[in-house]
Amino acid sequence: MGPLTALLDWLASRGLEIVLIVLGSVLLARFITWVGTRITDRIDARSTGGDVLVRSEAAKHRHSLTQVITWSLIVLVYTVAAFYVLDRLGVPVTGLVAPATVLGVGLGFGAQRIVGDVLAGFFLITERQYGFGDVVSIAVVGGGDPASGTVEDVTLRVTRLRSADGEVVTVPNGQIVKVVNLSRDWARAVVDVPVPTTADVNRVNEILREVGSEAFADAGLRRLLLDEPSVMGVESIDLEQVNVRVVARTLPGRQFEVGRDLRERIVVAFRRAGLTLTPAPPLEPAPAGAGSSGRPGTKP
């Protein structure tokens, strides 16, 4: 009965304290997560539909900063709870200082990349290089194709992007060597219109200016534009075509939508005016012996 009584006494005292500490840390972590979610939702609700670019950039930074603070507080809560549990179990916490120092030095050499990720994430947040909702293109160590998409989550260690295909891309912050922010303050939609060299360039410029004026007068497109689209003139000259450039300043991240709309309007306007865009070059014939398939560009 002696050992059983001692076990019951320990469960009634220290064991109950450990259970309460673990339960309290879990509840506190969930409360912190709930508060962080409420704050980010309120930030998003206030910034939705606003055309004030400075306020939208501040909202992106506040959203990312709230996520980082929430994550740091949760880590702190669980760390403190772990120390209290060790103390209730009778493990001398002060006696772990020396072994922890040795272990920390060993982990420091083995976890240099993690430390680098955290430091890089700290500077990403404080320097406001990008934030939640920004459209970015990130080049990583080792080259290759950059990771492009919309920022969905920024922590001290990683950045998560949602690509145009719906894929989630996770990039360690310490591996980032270059960031191209496509939605900072304002963006620019660039449309190059190829026309034959025989076309009247002055007439083409006139049609493009009319398209820009009509687009700026459209209530649906006007909210995305900062000013009326401008015709920059001939951008390049080839043997069979010239490229006339149209640019439009847009709200952050909306340049792709505006560019698609302008292209549709230009095609309709050219068709109405009886002008045509430069056709694609014909397919080259296949080499002899390629066989007969009845398709264009192959010999029978």
Side-chain angles (χ1 to χ4, degrees):
M1 292 297 294
L4 181 60
T5 303
L7 177 61
L8 292 177
D9 291 340
W10 184 86
L11 291 177
S13 57
R14 291 181 178 272
L16 182 59
E17 291 180 1
I18 292 175
V19 172
L20 292 177
I21 290 173
V22 173
L23 182 61
S25 63
V26 172
L27 293 177
L28 183 58
R30 291 194 175 186
F31 176 74
I32 293 173
T33 302
W34 178 79
V35 172
T37 303
R38 290 291 301 271
I39 294 175
T40 54
D41 290 343
R42 182 170 297 181
I43 292 173
D44 294 340
R46 289 181 177 179
S47 61
T48 300
D51 293 340
V52 182
L53 300 181
V54 175
R55 186 176 63 186
S56 66
E57 291 298 326
K60 294 175 185 177
H61 178 68
R62 287 196 297 266
H63 192 292
S64 301
L65 192 60
T66 302
Q67 289 179 321
V68 171
I69 293 176
T70 301
W71 177 78
S72 302
L73 288 177
I74 292 175
V75 172
L76 178 62
V77 167
Y78 283 129
T79 302
V80 173
F83 275 104
Y84 273 106
V85 169
L86 291 176
D87 181 65
R88 295 303 184 273
L89 289 174
V91 178
V93 179
T94 56
L96 296 177
V97 173
T101 303
V102 177
L103 181 62
V105 173
L107 290 177
F109 287 105
Q112 291 181 6
R113 179 169 296 181
I114 296 178
V115 175
D117 292 342
V118 173
L119 289 177
F122 172 78
F123 288 110
L124 285 175
I125 298 299
T126 56
E127 294 175 0
R128 302 190 182 189
Q129 296 184 20
Y130 55 81
F132 175 83
D134 275 332
V135 180
V136 298
S137 176
I138 297 177
V140 297
V141 175
D145 296 333
S148 302
T150 304
V151 178
E152 286 195 343
D153 190 15
V154 182
T155 67
L156 289 178
R157 199 181 73 82
V158 298
T159 296
R160 290 186 178 89
L161 308 177
R162 177 78 63 172
S163 68
D165 297 329
E167 302 169 341
V168 176
V169 182
T170 302
V171 182
N173 294 331
Q175 303 298 307
I176 298 175
V177 295
K178 179 181 179 182
V179 177
V180 179
N181 195 328
L182 305 177
S183 57
R184 184 65 179 267
D185 296 336
W186 56 272
R188 176 176 289 169
V190 180
V191 179
D192 286 334
V193 183
V195 296
T197 54
T198 57
D200 186 355
V201 177
N202 293 328
R203 175 58 177 160
V204 171
N205 290 338
E206 181 181 348
I207 295 174
L208 294 178
R209 291 191 186 94
E210 293 175 357
V211 170
S213 300
E214 294 175 359
F216 194 61
D218 189 328
L221 196 61
R222 175 70 176 270
R223 60 185 180 84
L224 305 179
L225 295 170
L226 299 182
D227 46 35
E228 184 175 320
S230 303
V231 180
M232 306 302 293
V234 176
E235 179 66 21
S236 62
I237 302 177
D238 295 330
L239 293 177
E240 297 181 355
Q241 71 179 28
V242 295
N243 290 318
V244 183
R245 174 163 295 184
V246 180
V247 299
R249 287 204 314 150
T250 71
L251 291 178
R254 311 307 292 270
Q255 65 269 31
F256 309 108
E257 180 179 351
V258 172
R260 288 191 293 266
D261 190 282
L262 288 177
R263 291 184 183 93
E264 293 177 3
R265 293 173 182 270
I266 290 171
V267 170
V268 173
F270 272 46
R271 184 177 301 171
R272 187 168 54 241
L275 298 176
T276 58
L277 300 177
T278 302
L283 295 176
E284 296 182 359
S292 174
S293 61
R295 294 176 298 186
T298 60
K299 288 188 178 182

